[in-house]
Structure formats: structure tokens, C-alpha cells
Amino acid sequence: MIELDNVGYSYGGGELLSDVSVRLSPGSFHFLTGPSGAGKTTLLKLCYGALLPTSGVVRAFDADMRGLDRDQMAMMRRRIGVVHQDCRFLDHLPVADNIALPLIVSGRDMAAESGNLRELMNWVGLSSRADATPPELSGGERQRAALARAVIMSPDVVLADEPTGNVDWEMSQRLLQLLIELNRMGKTVLIASHDLGLIRAAKREVQARVLRISNRRLQLAGADL
Ligand SMILES: Nc1ncnc2c1ncn2[C@@H]1O[C@H](COP(=O)(O)OP(=O)(O)OP(=O)(O)O)[C@@H](O)[C@H]1O
Ligand SMILES: [Mg+2]
């Protein structure tokens, strides 16, 4: 699905990531850990083409991202759902519209999609909050809305950047269950998270590989996690 081959990345100063090679195969479940500032968000951005590597190759669905034109890049991004670390909503629009935004942007027939939208709002438990605006939501509600928006285009891959940041344990478990369900439906899942408790909980339910960024390199964490 997504493959990084000897990838290096630098924002202009020294190299932040070096020699990173990883393959997210279809249906796999990965966690990405590492200290704050290690480059987790940067690595996710490389995975969905928001950044291009300064060295090495990133492939999505067997195509080198560097060779994609605008339209091809847009097509590729539709197959990857992203839960951003900061959620990024349009605060003046109701939650339902925020979740539906990817459909609207890609010109889908909204009347035909309304059942799909309702079902998804129900799945994340936000049916009763559909008309609220994002600033009116709790942290957990925002995270669930961000997850719903990430999957509304039925992507093959879901990349979630700290999807349980700022929520309590119970809510983080609920979000984790949603991500596990997506994986059971066949989606490839990568979650960036500091939360070792969450990772341990997930490993009891799914076969998850844990990747860790340490000293600019990506390592496979041991079974002790
Ligand atoms: N656009 C940018 N320009 C320059 N430096 C950046 C930019 N974005 C991030 N950085 C720097 O790159 C490093 C890695 O940032 P990144 O956001 O990938 O870390 P992270 O592992 O996701 O951290 P956190 O756990 O806090 O979310 C940090 O030192 C950050 O300051
Ligand atoms: Mg981050």
C-alpha cells in the first residue's frame, strides 16, 4: 500500500529522518511511537504525500509519489484517510458538513451520500451532535468527528496522528475500537501515538507492529511492549 525506501527528510536544517524503510502492507496495523519532535507527524506526511522525501523513495499503491502529477496526487490522497493531530475543522460549519467536506470537494452527489453520512455519524456516536459546530464539541467528540471525516471516502489506508491525544482512557479505548474495526474491514491502519497503554491494549486484540523513531531512524520495537 505505502512503502518507504531508504527515505531521508530534512526541513532545511540537519536531517530529521534518515534511512527510513518500511512497508505498510494491505490490511496491516502499525503503531508509530517516539518522543515529541522525533518526526512522527513528518513521517505520516511523507506517507500521504504532503511532504516529498529529500532522499529515497516513497511509493503509494506502487507509484513513486515524486512522479505523480496534481490529478494523480489527488486520486492517491482519496485512498488515504488522515486524522490530523490538530483535527483542522472549519469552525463555522456544522459537524456533519465538516465530515462530509471530502465528498463535497470531490464533487459527489450529496443526496446519494446522505445515508452513508448518517450511518458514519452513527458509527462514531455523533448523530445527536450533527448540527453542533466544532468549537462546541468535547475533545473526544472532535477526535471522533476527525476519524469520521478521514474515512468518509472509504480509503484503503487510514493514518491517524495521535487520535487519542487529549481524551480520557475510556474515550481512547473507544477510538481504538473504531480503528480496530476499520482494520478488520480490511483497511491498512497506522497510528502515531505516545500512549503505551493504548498500544498494549491494541496488541491484545490485533496483530500490530510497533515502529519507533529513535535517533532519526525507524526501528521495529521489541515484543516487550
Ligand atoms: N514545517 C516545519 N518546518 C521546520 N521544522 C519543522 C516543521 N514541522 C516540524 N518541524 C520540526 O521537525 C521536528 C519533528 O516534528 P514532528 O511534528 O514530525 O514531530 P512529532 O514526532 O510528530 O512530535 P509530537 O509528538 O510532538 O507530535 C520538530 O523538531 C519540529 O519542530
Ligand atoms: Mg506529531
Side-chain angles (χ1 to χ4, degrees):
M1 295 264 129
I2 296 179
E3 207 176 341
L4 278 69
D5 205 351
N6 279 312
V7 162
Y9 190 78
S10 157
Y11 282 107
E15 202 160 56
L16 175 66
L17 297 169
S18 303
D19 240 343
V20 170
S21 294
V22 66
R23 211 188 136 113
L24 306 180
S25 47
S28 61
F29 199 116
H30 285 86
F31 280 99
L32 176 62
T33 65
S36 181
K40 299 180 295 299
T41 298
T42 303
L43 188 61
L44 291 191
K45 285 180 176 169
L46 289 163
C47 287
Y48 64 91
L51 295 173
L52 289 174
T54 39
S55 59
V57 178
V58 180
R59 284 184 211 92
F61 314 108
D62 296 322
D64 183 342
M65 289 216 193
R66 204 179 290 281
L68 301 181
D69 63 26
R70 267 175 74 108
D71 288 350
Q72 289 168 326
M73 186 66 98
M75 292 286 282
M76 181 275 292
R77 291 227 183 122
R78 277 178 209 169
R79 299 180 66 184
I80 303 177
V82 183
V83 181
H84 296 280
Q85 188 164 12
D86 52 8
C87 292
R88 298 190 195 168
F89 296 113
L90 297 178
D91 284 347
H92 61 285
L93 289 181
V95 173
D97 289 4
N98 267 283
I99 293 174
L101 213 56
L103 295 173
I104 297 165
V105 169
S106 62
R108 297 277 185 94
D109 175 359
M110 287 311 293
E113 298 282 355
S114 69
N116 180 16
L117 178 61
R118 251 198 318 275
E119 203 175 297
L120 190 56
M121 301 270 317
N122 191 38
W123 180 65
V124 294
L126 286 179
S127 299
S128 64
R129 303 296 278 142
D131 298 326
T133 59
E136 294 168 335
L137 298 183
S138 73
E141 287 170 339
R142 286 172 71 82
Q143 295 286 10
R144 281 180 281 147
L147 181 58
R149 184 182 50 188
V151 299
I152 194 145
M153 298 291 286
S154 303
D156 300 313
V157 181
V158 178
L159 306 176
D161 198 354
E162 303 281 356
T164 62
N166 305 317
V167 299
D168 63 24
W169 175 247
E170 207 171 305
M171 183 53 67
S172 74
Q173 287 303 294
R174 186 160 168 197
L175 282 156
L176 175 64
Q177 286 311 318
L178 293 173
L179 287 155
I180 289 175
E181 251 180 71
L182 288 170
N183 180 247
R184 293 200 171 126
M185 286 161 56
K187 298 190 192 301
T188 305
V189 174
L190 172 63
I191 305 174
S193 178
H194 290 108
D195 189 344
L196 296 185
L198 185 83
I199 297 174
R200 288 194 194 102
K203 288 188 85 171
R204 286 194 283 273
E205 291 194 54
V206 286
Q207 263 213 328
R209 287 211 304 169
V210 182
L211 307 168
R212 182 188 288 131
I213 303 176
S214 171
N215 297 322
R216 309 198 309 275
R217 315 261 162 177
L218 190 69
Q219 303 164 339
L220 196 58
D224 51 320
L225 247 168

